[in-house]
Amino acid sequence: MRIGELARRAGVTTKAARYYESLGLLTPGRLANGYRDYDEHDVRLAREIRALSGLGIPVERTRPFLDCLAVGHRHADDCPASLAGYRQAIDELSQRIAGLTARRTALIAQLQEAAHRNSRVSPVPPADEGAHPMSDVPMNDYLSLPADLPVPEDDGATAHLPGTKLPPLELRTTGDTTVRLDALGPGRTVLYVYPLTGRPGTDLPEGWDTIPGARGCTPEACGFRDHYQELLDAGAVRVFGLSSQDTDYQREVVERLHLPFDMLSDPTRSLARALDLPTFEVSGLTLYKRLTLLLRDGVIEHVFYPVFPPNEHAAQVLTWLRDAPH
């Protein structure tokens, strides 16, 4: 058969078949006109080379397997030389894995150092050698969002809020002051309420990414940071984030992300009780559902709920402020 037929039946390219022949792995006969003539044995060899290459064994090192077939064995790895070829490939992979693991550990350490450079919280040491090599990847990657993140539905839980007066609640800020919500003063305040920010080296609650509206607190905070001056230019007098996390935890986030505004801590969820705000349960925690309140002169003027996607939400608030009457 011609080389094109061989390539088709063996599942390789004609270029690959020519390469196999150049290494002496295929030795076709010659027709009277000088054309190469491949047979069923060549097809078998080409298939074997392709399969071994898929396992990571270089084409150049497949000869012991092909020789095993040539002497009549049913399988190419029935011979001791073939088993030695497997072991060599495994040893090389182990060395590569060890090298990659060392590089990955160094990268994790660099990430931790960079993430906590301006924080009062000490970095968490990289996982030890006994840890699963991928065990801490998700907990370190809070700035990106999965493509299949579930979209929260509007369950009507905030329909009663527009026009509601703010309660006389006093909450602690990350700036070591307190803020009384009904006494914020004139002008608009952006108060975005979020469930829980992640921290490098700290696990999120189990199943976090599967809860609609849960994932994305850090990208949301970064969005308000990046649009902060634009929000003020568009008419906001102040911006706050609010969650049920304690002030020290929030302060680490403010410092690490270089947020130009304070967070408000509401560990007892007093605002949720006063305004009947939506919450959810996960891993024994009761957390706020993500929403944003536009406050003006002691009254809730507008509510964003549900919020999605969180990384674009600050831009959504900015658009609303620019279009709202002043």
Side-chain angles (χ1 to χ4, degrees):
M1 71 184 76
R2 301 288 295 276
I3 191 170
E5 177 69 8
L6 166 83
R8 184 186 66 79
R9 294 182 55 187
V12 301
T13 64
T14 56
K15 182 178 180 180
R18 291 192 181 97
Y19 179 59
Y20 301 162
E21 185 179 346
S22 72
L23 295 175
L25 302 176
L26 298 181
T27 55
R30 292 280 180 173
L31 298 175
N33 58 8
Y35 289 154
R36 295 174 178 83
D37 184 25
Y38 299 91
D39 57 20
E40 294 298 327
H41 183 64
D42 293 317
V43 173
R44 173 83 185 277
L45 295 180
R47 287 174 177 167
E48 192 66 38
I49 296 170
R50 183 194 66 182
L52 292 168
S53 297
L55 291 173
I57 297 177
V59 173
E60 299 83 352
R61 297 219 302 265
T62 60
R63 186 178 298 278
F65 297 88
L66 306 186
D67 289 344
C68 193
L69 292 175
V71 297
H73 288 284
R74 183 177 179 184
H75 301 288
D77 53 10
D78 282 341
C79 302
S82 304
L83 301 183
Y86 282 150
R87 293 189 186 98
Q88 182 181 4
I90 291 170
D91 289 344
E92 290 176 355
L93 281 174
S94 297
Q95 291 175 5
R96 290 174 59 190
I97 290 171
L100 290 171
T101 300
R103 287 171 57 188
R104 181 179 178 278
T105 300
L107 281 170
I108 291 173
Q110 194 69 23
L111 168 64
Q112 298 286 9
E113 180 183 350
H116 291 82
R117 186 167 292 131
N118 298 298
S119 170
R120 300 176 187 177
V121 179
S122 299
V124 176
D128 60 28
E129 294 180 359
H132 189 284
M134 293 301 291
S135 62
D136 56 337
V137 170
M139 71 177 70
N140 286 320
D141 188 15
Y142 298 134
L143 292 177
S144 62
L145 296 175
D148 57 349
L149 203 64
V151 180
E153 297 181 0
D154 188 353
D155 55 8
T158 64
H160 63 287
L161 292 176
T164 301
K165 290 185 177 181
L166 291 167
L169 291 178
E170 194 167 284
L171 301 175
R172 187 182 175 193
T173 78
T174 51
D176 291 325
T177 61
T178 58
V179 166
R180 181 165 161 166
L181 296 182
D182 66 338
L184 287 171
R188 286 191 173 102
T189 297
V190 176
L191 177 64
Y192 74 90
V193 181
Y194 63 93
L196 178 150
T197 50
R199 174 189 290 178
T202 303
D203 282 316
L204 289 169
E206 185 176 356
W208 189 249
D209 287 3
T210 65
I211 303 172
R215 174 72 179 266
C217 298
T218 297
E220 182 183 27
C222 290
F224 278 105
R225 174 198 66 194
D226 297 342
H227 289 289
Y228 179 69
Q229 189 56 53
E230 294 174 277
L231 291 167
L232 299 185
D233 293 342
V237 176
R238 58 195 71 84
V239 175
F240 293 113
L242 181 148
S243 75
S244 59
Q245 293 170 287
D246 63 58
T247 300
D248 288 340
Y249 194 106
Q250 290 180 330
R251 187 178 291 114
E252 187 276 335
V253 175
V254 169
E255 294 176 350
R256 172 163 48 86
L257 300 181
H258 305 287
L259 302 183
F261 50 84
D262 284 336
M263 298 288 199
L264 307 183
S265 177
D266 186 15
T268 63
R269 298 175 301 284
S270 56
L271 186 62
R273 293 195 301 274
L275 295 178
D276 193 21
L277 300 183
T279 60
F280 66 99
E281 306 281 336
V282 59
S283 299
L285 301 172
T286 301
L287 303 173
Y288 278 106
K289 286 189 176 182
R290 192 184 312 280
L291 59 93
T292 295
L293 305 176
L294 269 296
L295 314 176
R296 188 173 190 179
D297 301 328
V299 174
I300 299 175
E301 182 181 16
H302 185 78
V303 181
F304 288 88
Y305 177 84
V307 170
F308 193 86
N311 59 321
E312 299 177 11
H313 180 53
Q316 297 167 353
V317 174
L318 178 60
T319 298
W320 187 92
L321 285 171
R322 286 171 172 169
D323 293 341
H326 294 287

